[in-house]
Amino acid sequence: MAKIKSICIVLCWLGWITLHNVYAVSGNQLPLVINTWPFTVATRAAWKVINSTGKTPLDAVEKGCTACEVARCDGTVGYGGSPDESGETTLDAMIMDGATHDIGSVGCLKRIKSAISVARKVMELTNHTLLVGDDATRFAVKVGFELENLHTNDSVGIYKSWLENNCQPNFWKGVTPNPRSTCGPYKPADTCQSADCKQDVNHDISSDNHDTIGMIVVDKNTIAGGTSTNGAKHKIAGRVGDSPIGGAGLYVDDEVGGSAATGDGDVMMRFLPSYQVVESMRLGLSPTKAATQAIKRIKKYYPNFNGALIAVNKAGEVGAACHGLKGKFPYSVRHAGMTDVKVYITNCI
């Protein structure tokens, strides 16, 4: 009898842990905010908006991502971080409406700090989806944004140190002089005998470099999402990552849920993982299983990539999956059943 009692106690304890974990990550009380990384300043800003009367998930997403841009979260969002190989900081951002599937995006945006807000203007004031580079900047000025210097002492220091280190690391391959030991200018090599020519991932991308804010806000009737980043440090000038690409950096659908990505965007955008996650949830997979499936698909072709996905369905159940990133990936959640933001950590596969 004592043995049976002990077994029952253990089983009940295990059952409580399982239920506790499900509740902790399901958060089925709406509204709900979820975003990549422990960027709780963004989560709280979005929650304050969506928990106010008359505000929409789009309003909350814009406010949340703006908070991260202003705070320069980890130096990888907003101005003053991740200079490209010419020393300039440029911004990528996207916002998406899950009801209409309208998207507004900017890529390689220069000299404008409020990337997520410019992206929303692209969605609301044009029939386009994505504007890039200097032309995106000119659009922003036309609709009321001010030109500002995106440099800081930090970004200038990062650039100078990079030059002093022979421009290492960088994103070139198959060129001469050898990009692994020398700065450019480069030109295509006549022959390519180096293993670098077959480089399959950006090894400089990790949890310490390229922490995109990807955010999804779920209300009782609609879903919206947004992203913002200053991209990868020392990227080739003109590079646009996955963050402003619908289905890659982010995807939301009122009928299903949403997903957002962070990590090596050059690799991840080739698989449209956020779109895959949403479609997998449409077929009945849980957010965690859907995200895991998408990560495994990328891992099959790029076993050394670093990246993560967050996911949430329309009922408010959340999940995440990752690969690389030093083995763990944190993400932030706030819903109506919580008194404050909670950061969850998922183990990478």
Side-chain angles (χ1 to χ4, degrees), residues 107-186:
C108 197
L109 179 68
K110 303 176 181 181
R111 302 181 301 281
I112 301 288
K113 287 185 177 180
S114 304
I116 188 68
S117 294
V118 178
R120 187 168 184 180
K121 292 300 184 184
V122 173
M123 181 178 71
E124 294 179 342
L125 301 180
T126 82
N127 289 320
H128 298 312
T129 294
L130 172 63
L131 299 180
V132 298
D134 288 324
D135 291 314
T137 301
R138 281 189 279 272
F139 166 81
V141 172
K142 286 179 181 178
V143 298
F145 293 87
E146 294 184 4
L147 290 173
E148 298 182 82
N149 187 352
L150 301 190
H151 296 124
T152 62
N153 290 337
D154 289 340
S155 64
V156 172
I158 291 170
Y159 181 60
K160 287 182 177 179
S161 296
W162 180 73
L163 290 175
E164 292 169 357
N165 193 40
N166 296 317
C167 304
Q168 302 302 308
N170 62 61
F171 294 89
W172 289 89
K173 65 179 183 179
V175 295
T176 185
N178 185 350
R180 292 296 156 258
S181 59
T182 308
C183 292
Y186 306 107

Side-chain angles (χ1 to χ4, degrees), residues 134-335:
D134 288 324
D135 291 314
T137 301
R138 281 189 279 272
F139 166 81
V141 172
K142 286 179 181 178
V143 298
F145 293 87
E146 294 184 4
L147 290 173
E148 298 182 82
N149 187 352
L150 301 190
H151 296 124
T152 62
N153 290 337
D154 289 340
S155 64
V156 172
I158 291 170
Y159 181 60
K160 287 182 177 179
S161 296
W162 180 73
L163 290 175
E164 292 169 357
N165 193 40
N166 296 317
C167 304
Q168 302 302 308
N170 62 61
F171 294 89
W172 289 89
K173 65 179 183 179
V175 295
T176 185
N178 185 350
R180 292 296 156 258
S181 59
T182 308
C183 292
Y186 306 107
K187 64 179 182 179
D190 293 332
T191 59
C192 193
Q193 300 176 348
S194 170
D196 171 63
C197 296
K198 300 179 181 179
Q199 182 179 353
D200 62 349
V201 295
N202 294 321
H203 295 287
D204 185 42
I205 299 295
S206 68
S207 58
D208 300 319
N209 175 14
H210 209 30
D211 301 351
T212 302
I213 172 81
M215 174 178 285
I216 303 161
V217 177
V218 185
D219 205 348
K220 293 181 180 179
N221 299 311
T222 190
I223 302 173
T227 64
S228 186
T229 181
N230 53 36
K233 292 177 184 174
H234 318 307
K235 57 186 175 285
I236 297 170
R239 181 260 191 185
V240 174
D242 64 327
S243 296
I245 308 299
L250 173 83
Y251 195 74
V252 293
D253 187 325
D254 273 8
E255 296 180 354
V256 184
S259 177
T262 183
D264 188 344
D266 290 298
V267 167
M268 297 181 77
M269 66 164 44
R270 301 167 191 172
F271 296 85
L272 299 179
S274 296
Y275 176 78
Q276 180 184 337
V277 171
V278 172
E279 292 309 301
S280 293
M281 291 192 295
R282 190 189 305 275
L283 296 175
L285 269 65
S286 70
T288 296
K289 289 183 178 179
T292 299
Q293 185 183 78
I295 289 290
K296 286 182 176 178
R297 180 167 170 248
I298 303 172
K299 178 184 175 183
K300 176 182 176 181
Y301 295 93
Y302 297 93
N304 298 316
F305 92 100
N306 287 277
L309 292 162
I310 57 170
V312 58
N313 62 26
K314 65 180 182 179
E317 181 184 3
V318 304
C322 59
H323 184 260
L325 301 179
K326 299 181 180 179
K328 295 182 183 297
F329 168 64
Y331 61 100
S332 306
V333 178
R334 174 74 196 269
H335 61 65

